[in-house]
Amino acid sequence: MNHRLRQSLSLAMLTLTLVSAGAPVASALANTAQLNDQASTVTDKPATDTSNNGNSTAKPTPTPAPTPTAPSKPKPPVTSIDPSKMPTGIPTTFDVPAEPAIGEPGSRIKLSSSKLQNPKSSESNDNTRDLGGYVTADGKWKIKANRLLRSANLSGLSADDIKILQNHNVRHIIDMRTKGQVKSKTDKVIPGTYWENISILGEFAGAGLNTDANGDFVPNKNKPGDAGFYNHQLEFSASATTGYNKFLNGLLTQSGATLFHCSSGKDRTGIGSVLIMSALGMDTKTIAKDFMLSQTYNHHVQYSWLKEYYREINTYYTNMPNYLVNGLNFSKHQQEVLKSKYLVSNDKEERAYPAPKTPSVSVPSTPSTPAPVKPDNTKPVRPEASKPAKPAHKPTTKKKVVKVVSVKKIKKVQFVHLKRHRAYFYDIKLKHKVGFTKQSKTKWRLMKRAKLQVNGKKVTYVQIKSPHGYHRWIQLNAVNQIKR
């Protein structure tokens, strides 16, 4: 009997435990359903067990039911665009777009100096258009109309063309050509505008663009490939980074419409549009469409050039937002200021994009007020006139003198990784610096070894070749050989 009694007691205790455990779970589910239906609120009343065919029974233990988690509130709409969340890739292929209808983003501003408009025109300015109307990647904002215009050179403008541009509120003209190009085809004067020259190519249009199969610079009589032109001169050259930085910074303070142009409005101007639209938050598909519209308007471009431009940026800067900040020194705050100046909401209200707060500047703590010092009644001694100390020797920038002692081809196939933050160059004379290496697992092949004298000091450099076929020169101690 004692054995049977113990079995009965154990069974009863197990039943009680299961009921106790089930009650809070069932009660929590019931309360959650009530919360979702907004039929009742959570109270401190005892929980009930609803598993018995809908008949509620008293909870066997005093343990309170867990409070159900309230559904999360919907996030407020995003008012600012985070460039770090923008897509870094670019479409694999992109067809030449059809000409947009009048009033659509990218539609052509028809000038008489255009061959499409006037076949007898000696100029070919078919590439004048407004960036207004392009929509940001999140679909909430768009570029204001009559604020950012791109064009080819303005040397063939007629009186009617000038009136058309004045009607578009053009107040500032940025000419991205070299001084020689400006002199050969001078822009017509548009009354009431300020003209400014920012040469993206530096002093000469052909300077430093031409390379042979080994990546060494050769005389300008050999024309470079256009994709190489985008890499070498519009992306990493000192004149380009300095010029585009000045261009973007100028947009932050200019009033009215700014018209920027080069010779034919497709390369230097095209990249200018890429940078503006990237900073304003457009996606790469929209940016590619604007770039390829030059081809639609009879100004030759190839999509492969833009792909190569992005590939190089992604290789060395990870993505376009990093290139804007670190390559062009155009900060995220400056990009927010640019948006507040040129974006409006993509609706009928066209509300202005919110201006960013001024970055906080740390103010040094005010030192404690010193105790007053009793005045000294003694007669002051007249100090001797002290001669200003001569400054230390003026820092002088020593010109780099490079002499090539010897160059040898590396016959045995060897691969290396590049160390971080090391300077590397397009040419063996070290005149054209690409920039500094980034952390990468890319395998570069050793091609040549060169003995150089840099300011009289012997240094060993190697020529390396990327998987994409690009050649660079870098100091030997800046590479790590890969063990095979």
Side-chain angles (χ1 to χ4, degrees):
M1 292 292 293
N2 292 338
H3 179 68
R4 290 182 178 179
L5 181 60
R6 283 197 298 271
Q7 284 183 335
S8 300
L9 285 172
S10 299
L11 183 61
M13 290 177 67
L14 177 62
T15 305
L16 258 174
T17 303
L18 291 173
V19 171
S20 299
V25 174
S27 178
L29 290 172
N31 284 340
T32 303
Q34 290 173 349
L35 183 65
N36 291 338
D37 295 338
Q38 298 181 349
S40 62
T41 58
V42 179
T43 67
D44 294 330
K45 292 182 180 179
T48 57
D49 184 1
T50 58
S51 61
N52 187 16
N53 296 326
N55 299 322
S56 63
T57 57
K59 184 180 176 182
T61 63
T63 306
T67 304
T69 304
S72 59
K73 296 180 181 180
K75 294 181 179 180
V78 179
T79 56
S80 62
I81 302 161
D82 185 0
S84 63
K85 296 180 180 178
M86 291 291 295
T88 59
I90 188 168
T92 306
T93 59
F94 202 93
D95 295 330
V96 177
E99 182 173 350
I102 297 175
E104 292 294 314
S107 59
R108 188 167 61 87
I109 298 174
K110 298 179 179 180
L111 302 176
S112 61
S113 56
S114 160
K115 284 193 174 183
L116 289 175
Q117 204 72 10
N118 180 10
K120 295 181 179 180
S121 174
S122 60
E123 297 298 325
S124 182
N125 196 344
D126 310 317
N127 212 8
T128 302
R129 41 197 160 107
D130 189 352
L131 297 184
Y134 281 124
V135 178
T136 57
D138 61 5
K140 295 180 179 180
W141 308 95
K142 63 182 178 181
I143 302 177
K144 296 178 185 178
N146 296 330
R147 295 305 306 276
L148 295 167
L149 278 64
R150 55 176 293 178
S151 179
N153 77 84
L154 307 178
S155 61
L157 293 182
S158 65
D160 290 338
D161 295 336
I162 291 174
K163 290 180 181 179
I164 290 173
L165 294 179
Q166 286 178 320
N167 290 338
H168 281 274
N169 198 29
V170 173
R171 293 288 181 269
H172 198 115
I173 296 172
I174 304 293
D175 191 335
M176 296 181 170
R177 297 177 297 168
T178 64
K179 291 180 180 179
Q181 292 172 330
V182 170
K183 188 176 180 179
S184 64
K185 289 189 176 182
T186 305
D187 283 351
K188 290 289 180 66
V189 176
I190 301 177
T193 63
Y194 172 73
W195 182 91
E196 182 180 6
N197 179 221
I198 301 177
S199 176
I200 300 301
L201 301 183
E203 290 297 317
F204 306 102
L209 297 183
N210 309 298
T211 61
D212 60 16
N214 292 324
D216 296 323
F217 284 84
V218 295
N220 292 333
K221 61 183 180 180
N222 299 323
K223 294 184 179 180
D226 287 290
F229 167 78
Y230 275 68
N231 293 347
H232 297 175
Q233 206 67 1
L234 299 185
E235 191 168 32
F236 301 128
S237 69
S239 59
T241 54
T242 303
Y244 282 129
N245 171 271
K246 186 177 180 181
F247 168 60
L248 292 173
N249 273 280
L251 295 177
L252 300 179
T253 57
Q254 289 162 10
S255 59
T258 297
L259 182 149
F260 57 101
H261 75 85
C262 54
S263 293
S264 58
K266 65 185 183 72
D267 298 315
R268 287 163 284 186
T269 302
I271 293 302
S273 294
V274 168
L275 297 174
I276 290 174
M277 295 173 71
S278 297
L280 291 178
M282 279 71 203
D283 59 29
T284 50
K285 185 176 180 180
T286 304
I287 293 170
K289 178 184 177 182
D290 180 73
F291 179 84
M292 290 303 295
L293 274 173
S294 290
Q295 181 68 29
T296 305
Y297 298 136
N298 295 337
H299 291 256
H300 179 59
V301 292
Q302 292 181 17
Y303 185 59
S304 60
W305 304 346
L306 186 63
K307 283 180 63 178
E308 181 59 24
Y309 179 79
Y310 269 89
R311 189 198 66 77
E312 285 277 293
I313 283 177
N314 293 341
T315 297
Y316 299 107
Y317 289 91
T318 306
N319 53 42
M320 177 62 80
N322 283 340
Y323 175 69
L324 287 170
V325 174
N326 301 317
L328 297 183
N329 197 28
F330 194 63
S331 69
K332 290 184 178 180
H333 176 75
Q334 289 172 308
Q335 293 175 46
E336 287 299 305
V337 174
L338 191 76
K339 292 168 190 172
S340 66
K341 192 170 180 66
Y342 294 99
L343 292 182
V344 292
S345 59
N346 187 25
D347 52 29
K348 293 181 180 179
E349 296 180 9
E350 294 194 346
R351 295 170 285 105
Y353 187 94
K357 295 180 180 178
T358 304
S360 57
V361 180
S362 59
V363 180
S365 58
T366 306
S368 58
T369 305
V373 180
K374 292 182 179 180
D376 189 358
N377 295 327
T378 59
K379 293 182 179 180
V381 179
R382 181 178 294 177
E384 294 181 1
S386 59
K387 296 180 180 180
K390 292 183 178 181
H393 66 281
K394 295 181 180 180
T396 55
T397 305
K398 193 173 182 180
K399 187 177 180 180
K400 184 184 292 185
V401 179
V402 178
K403 181 181 178 182
V404 180
V405 179
S406 63
V407 180
K408 292 183 180 179
K409 288 186 178 181
I410 299 175
K411 296 180 180 179
K412 185 180 178 181
V413 177
Q414 301 177 57
F415 291 96
V416 295
H417 288 316
L418 308 187
K419 297 179 183 179
R420 295 179 63 187
H421 306 305
R422 304 301 173 92
Y424 64 138
F425 304 82
Y426 288 119
D427 65 319
I428 195 172
K429 293 293 185 68
L430 313 184
K431 291 183 178 180
H432 303 276
K433 185 162 67 174
V434 179
F436 293 90
T437 57
K438 304 289 181 180
Q439 187 173 11
S440 173
K441 294 182 180 180
T442 304
K443 290 170 62 176
W444 294 74
R445 181 178 173 179
L446 291 177
M447 303 300 295
K448 295 179 182 179
R449 181 188 295 261
K451 296 286 185 180
L452 306 180
Q453 275 191 351
V454 181
N455 293 337
K457 183 180 178 180
K458 291 184 179 180
V459 188
T460 301
Y461 270 73
V462 288
Q463 188 186 57
I464 52 177
K465 179 180 178 181
S466 76
H468 302 282
Y470 293 100
H471 294 76
R472 305 288 186 261
W473 284 95
I474 192 167
Q475 199 166 343
L476 180 60
N477 61 11
V479 302
N480 288 323
Q481 189 167 347
I482 301 172
K483 295 181 180 179
R484 301 186 67 184

